[in-house]
């Protein structure tokens, strides 16, 4: 989890300034902009959590076990490395003429188009400029590896249970906890013809992983140019503290896997379904400059409470293939799933399996 914390902290820190700049456009546009910017990362993380559950199509026998340490990651497709600002239906953000294509958080490491933040001036009924910003740059990489550990145990009736768990840990401004459970069941025993083939196995697998994390390094304060519009209370030190980004990802998967073992080498292949749901919330108070809608119609600093509430979902089917090399109590394995967000996993295992 410390390594996972570092990865998520890097992504959150990448978005820190963007949260502050985007919120200047108000709650509605901020959710649209941040949703388009971070959604590929939520998909990559979620589908990554659904990888690495198994390394063969055979369930372990009763009492057999192994402990695995591995990394899994999903590759962001090219079409999800950018998004079109014009297609978001923004109301308080004007895209300057020219290029409207901006990088997502896992896009290229270059700034996007310049944006003009506006608000309606009640005195003349016109949209007037509040500030100019650039759409944020991407992280410059499209593969986000997620390290994990897992324990698997053989049960009765050719059934195997797997557990992933990490207690709440803190790393710098990041805190997170993870747990997951999976179940594998051999169906070769129920198919008479296949049950006669030596070294060949078929299993069905289902797994669920839950990741909760929080990033407290965000610090969106009043811009120097906006302090003249703030109240004495808003100018007090610590008024905009306790800002936090919370991320909850739920990932579940199902697979049908077949494998063939020849001596120390096991080859396996199958089909996988991956379903994910991610909630991203920005909690706390955030300052935004706006025009008063009543006399004297001047600018003021509005406090947005818990302004970002995003729910992002995705699902996909994929074809999985992998290899495992087993030497006594030690094993090496790797797999690849071809899908919309293709995933790769590699790891080591120790145990009686």
């Amino acid at each position: 989890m410390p390594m996972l914390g570092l990865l998520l902290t890097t992504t959150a820190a990448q978005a820190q300034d963007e949260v502050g700049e985007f919120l200047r456009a108000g709650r509605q546009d901020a959710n649209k902009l941040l949703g388009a910017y971070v959604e590929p990362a939520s998909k990559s993380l979620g589908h990554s959590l659904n990888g690495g559950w198994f390394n063969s199509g055979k369930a372990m026998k009763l009492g057999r076990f192994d402990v695995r340490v591995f990394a899994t990651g999903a590759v962001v497709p090219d079409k999800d490395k950018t998004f079109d600002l014009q297609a978001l239906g923004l109301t308080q953000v004007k895209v300057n003429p020219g290029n409207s294509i901006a990088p997502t958080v896992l896009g290229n490491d270059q700034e996007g188009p310049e944006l003009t933040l506006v608000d309606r001036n009640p005195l003349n009924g016109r949209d007037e400029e509040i500030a100019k910003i650039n759409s944020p740059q991407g992280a410059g990489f499209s593969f986000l590896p997620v390290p994990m550990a897992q324990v698997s145990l053989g049960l009765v009736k050719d059934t195997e249970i797997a557990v992933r768990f990490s207690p709440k840990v803190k790393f710098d401004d990041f805190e997170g906890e993870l747990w997951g459970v999976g179940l594998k069941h051999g169906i070769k025993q129920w198919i008479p013809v296949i049950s006669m083939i030596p070294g060949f196995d078929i299993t069905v697998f289902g797994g669920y992983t839950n990741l909760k994390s929080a990033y407290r390094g965000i610090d969106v304060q009043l811009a120097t140019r906006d302090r003249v519009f703030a109240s004495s209370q808003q100018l007090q030190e610590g008024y905009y503290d306790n800002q936090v980004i919370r991320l909850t990802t739920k990932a579940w998967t199902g697979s049908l896997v077949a494998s063939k073992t020849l001596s120390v080498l096991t080859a396996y292949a199958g089909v996988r379904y991956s379903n994910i749901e991610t909630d991203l919330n920005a909690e706390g108070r955030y300052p935004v400059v706006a025009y008063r809608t009543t006399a004297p119609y001047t600018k003021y600093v509005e406090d947005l409470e818990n302004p970002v509430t995003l729910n992002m979902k995705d699902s996909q089917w994929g074809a999985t293939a992998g290899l495992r090399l087993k030497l006594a109590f030690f094993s090496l394995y790797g797999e690849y799933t071809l899908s919309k967000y293709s995933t790769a996993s590699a790891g080591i295992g120790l145990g009686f399996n």
Side-chain angles (χ1 to χ4, degrees):
M1 280 296 289
M3 286 184 67
L4 179 58
L6 179 59
L7 290 168
L8 296 181
T9 297
T10 300
T11 304
Q14 177 74 22
Q16 172 180 335
D17 291 338
E18 286 68 43
V19 170
E21 292 301 300
F22 280 162
L23 284 177
R24 299 182 191 279
R27 189 185 304 269
Q28 184 178 3
D29 280 2
N31 277 266
K32 292 178 180 179
L33 287 163
L34 281 171
Y37 180 69
V38 306
E39 187 172 30
S42 78
K43 292 179 180 179
S44 177
L45 174 62
H47 291 306
S48 295
L49 292 176
N50 277 333
W53 275 108
F54 49 80
N55 57 20
S56 79
K58 178 178 177 60
M60 290 187 291
K61 296 180 179 180
L62 177 64
R64 296 293 181 93
F65 70 93
D66 75 359
V67 179
R68 301 174 203 163
V69 178
F70 61 94
T72 178
V75 180
V76 177
D78 288 342
K79 69 180 185 64
D80 286 351
K81 293 180 181 179
T82 61
F83 66 100
D84 188 352
L85 291 157
Q86 294 282 18
L88 298 182
L90 303 171
T91 57
Q92 291 186 265
V93 174
K94 303 298 181 183
V95 183
N96 293 345
N99 182 24
S100 65
I101 304 302
T104 64
V105 68
L106 294 181
N108 292 332
D109 184 12
Q110 59 186 36
E111 286 189 338
E114 186 179 54
L115 308 176
T116 302
L117 308 184
V118 301
D119 193 28
R120 182 62 55 87
N121 186 337
L123 291 175
N124 56 27
R126 299 174 183 171
D127 287 337
E128 296 191 356
E129 180 180 318
I130 297 295
K132 285 186 179 293
I133 63 171
N134 277 91
S135 179
Q137 63 193 44
F141 52 84
S142 58
F143 185 78
L144 186 65
V146 179
M148 279 187 280
Q150 178 177 305
V151 178
S152 301
L153 175 67
L155 304 176
V156 297
K157 292 292 184 180
D158 204 17
T159 301
E160 175 186 318
I161 188 170
V163 176
R164 300 169 169 178
F165 176 74
S166 174
K168 181 178 288 188
V169 296
K170 294 186 177 182
F171 180 82
D172 198 10
D173 291 317
F174 167 88
E175 63 182 45
E177 56 186 322
L178 177 148
W179 66 271
V181 61
L183 197 66
K184 182 196 287 187
H185 179 69
I187 60 175
K188 173 182 175 179
Q189 59 187 313
W190 310 114
I191 309 174
V193 176
I194 295 180
S195 65
M196 300 172 61
I197 304 176
F200 180 79
D201 298 279
I202 300 180
T203 60
V204 290
F205 174 84
Y208 173 82
T209 305
N210 184 289
L211 170 66
K212 292 182 178 180
S213 59
Y215 179 68
R216 301 183 183 278
I218 188 167
D219 184 25
V220 181
Q221 301 291 330
L222 279 167
T224 301
R225 66 178 180 271
D226 297 334
R227 294 179 66 85
V228 65
F229 307 121
S231 67
S232 57
Q233 184 181 26
Q234 291 170 325
L235 291 171
Q236 290 179 2
E237 185 176 355
Y239 183 77
Y240 289 107
D241 289 351
N242 301 317
Q243 298 169 348
V244 58
I245 295 178
R246 296 191 186 278
L247 180 76
T248 300
T249 299
K250 303 172 184 177
W252 66 271
T253 181
S255 296
L256 176 65
V257 190
S259 68
K260 176 67 175 178
T261 299
L262 294 172
S263 184
V264 297
L265 188 66
T266 298
Y268 61 94
V271 293
R272 171 182 295 165
Y273 176 73
S274 175
N275 185 284
I276 64 168
E277 181 174 0
T278 299
D279 291 312
L280 188 151
N281 300 309
E283 301 178 357
R285 282 192 294 245
Y286 299 81
V288 177
V289 174
Y291 278 101
R292 299 182 188 276
T293 56
T294 58
Y297 304 112
T298 55
K299 289 182 180 180
Y300 76 111
V301 175
E302 178 185 1
D303 290 337
L304 292 186
E305 299 272 356
N306 305 330
V308 176
T309 304
L310 297 174
N311 178 262
M312 297 165 283
K313 300 178 181 180
D314 193 49
S315 62
Q316 63 180 26
W317 285 92
T320 299
L323 289 172
R324 183 187 70 180
L325 176 65
K326 188 175 184 302
L327 303 171
F329 310 120
F330 178 76
S331 61
L332 292 171
Y333 66 95
E335 72 172 37
Y336 184 80
T337 298
L338 180 64
S339 191
K340 179 175 58 178
Y341 274 68
S342 296
T343 60
S345 301
I348 59 175
L350 294 171
F352 295 91
N353 56 9

